[in-house]
Amino acid sequence: MDTNLSIKQLETFRTVMRSGSVSVAARTLCRTQPAVSAMLVSLENELGFKLFERNKGRLIPKPEAFFLLEETDAILERLTRAAQLMAEVKNLSRGNLRVACMPAASLYFMPHVIADFVKDRPEVNVSMMMRSSMIVHDWVAAQQYDIGYAEMPKERDSINVEPIRLKGVCAVHRDHPLAGKAVITPADLDNVPLATLFAQHPTSELVRFLFEEQGARYHPRFELQNYISGFEFVEHQLCCSICDPMSAASYTISKSGQGAVVFRPFAPEVIFEHAIITPSHKPLSRLAQAFVDHIYAGLRNAGLEEYLAPGSSTGF
């Protein structure tokens, strides 16, 4: 036989058992004695057996009542805990986040954003993994990670993409003559040693083309996997670097704004197409959506809003 017990029945039963009296239980529950008695009868009818002996208006618990009390305590305590947990989830103070990130953002920028997000949320756990942009795309598409920050992916049905298009900057040592210029051009960097991404990277190919178009000699002295590594060479006054503002922001964060490298706008524009990526077939949790909003706040706080190019997400 199916049994459909209600929370009210169990709460009433537990209160009667703990108080030892229907009248005391009625006052505790702010109900009438007949209502409490009727609730006990409905519970017994639902179970199919008596929990109490009735003797001259007194209720005497049977052994089955004490067994049910143990189970009732466990059920109601679990429900109370579940309600507390869901309240914490609602308030964004509990949960898990899985973030996949390309190297340019993962070394300093994203940890900085995560630290700020969780500082008042001790029950929020975060898993952040650094991988190439292509792997980030695949991980998010496979729903292994909630959020990805990477170079712009090709269009695919399994991911949602919020474009972050950033205008490139030029990294120079603060004592370099070019540090005093408002805008740096290929002519300014004619045959100047540069720290660049590997030659086959689309950005390196574009920069090489811009130099050739303007009749400037392109001199890639250091070819690297990411721009952040190149800032060490810039600090030692061995080169300059045309880089993305995200890497520049990461450097500034890592040096608390006191680094020897400064960044100036570069023209013609070199656009770095990044994106915030989420799974398209899995709704974001409230916590994950709040973190996406926090990424945008982190981009603004890092001063990247001024480098936005048309076509960027409206999340700014």
Side-chain angles (χ1 to χ4, degrees), residues 153-174:
K154 295 180 180 178
E155 186 174 345
R156 53 200 293 186
D157 293 336
S158 53
I159 55 177
N160 296 318
V161 175
E162 299 183 32
I164 309 294
R165 304 182 73 245
L166 300 169
K167 302 173 185 177
V169 296
C170 185
V172 300
H173 193 278
R174 63 189 174 201

Side-chain angles (χ1 to χ4, degrees), residues 255-309:
K255 300 292 184 178
S256 301
Q258 304 299 313
V261 179
V262 295
F263 302 92
R264 301 291 179 258
F266 180 81
E269 288 182 356
V270 176
I271 303 300
F272 291 84
E273 295 193 302
H274 296 175
I276 297 173
I277 307 164
T278 55
S280 60
H281 301 307
K282 177 185 176 184
L284 283 183
S285 67
R286 288 167 49 84
L287 186 68
Q289 183 57 62
F291 183 68
V292 168
D293 296 339
H294 207 74
I295 293 175
Y296 283 113
L299 292 168
R300 289 192 295 270
N301 292 337
L304 296 184
E305 197 168 12
E306 66 177 293
Y307 297 109
L308 282 181

Side-chain angles (χ1 to χ4, degrees), residues 137-159:
H137 303 161
D138 291 341
W139 277 354
V140 175
Q143 300 182 19
Q144 292 178 274
Y145 284 80
D146 305 308
I147 300 163
Y149 190 98
E151 293 177 325
M152 179 73 73
K154 295 180 180 178
E155 186 174 345
R156 53 200 293 186
D157 293 336
S158 53
I159 55 177

Side-chain angles (χ1 to χ4, degrees), residues 84-98 117 121 124-125 146-147 162 278-279 282-295:
Q84 292 172 343
L85 288 174
M86 294 314 296
E88 292 174 357
V89 169
K90 179 182 177 181
N91 296 330
L92 308 179
S93 59
R94 176 180 291 273
N96 298 308
L97 278 175
R98 298 169 301 169
F117 184 73
R121 297 178 170 96
V124 172
N125 301 315
D146 305 308
I147 300 163
E162 299 183 32
T278 55
K282 177 185 176 184
L284 283 183
S285 67
R286 288 167 49 84
L287 186 68
Q289 183 57 62
F291 183 68
V292 168
D293 296 339
H294 207 74
I295 293 175

Side-chain angles (χ1 to χ4, degrees), residues 52 80 220:
F52 301 94
T80 299

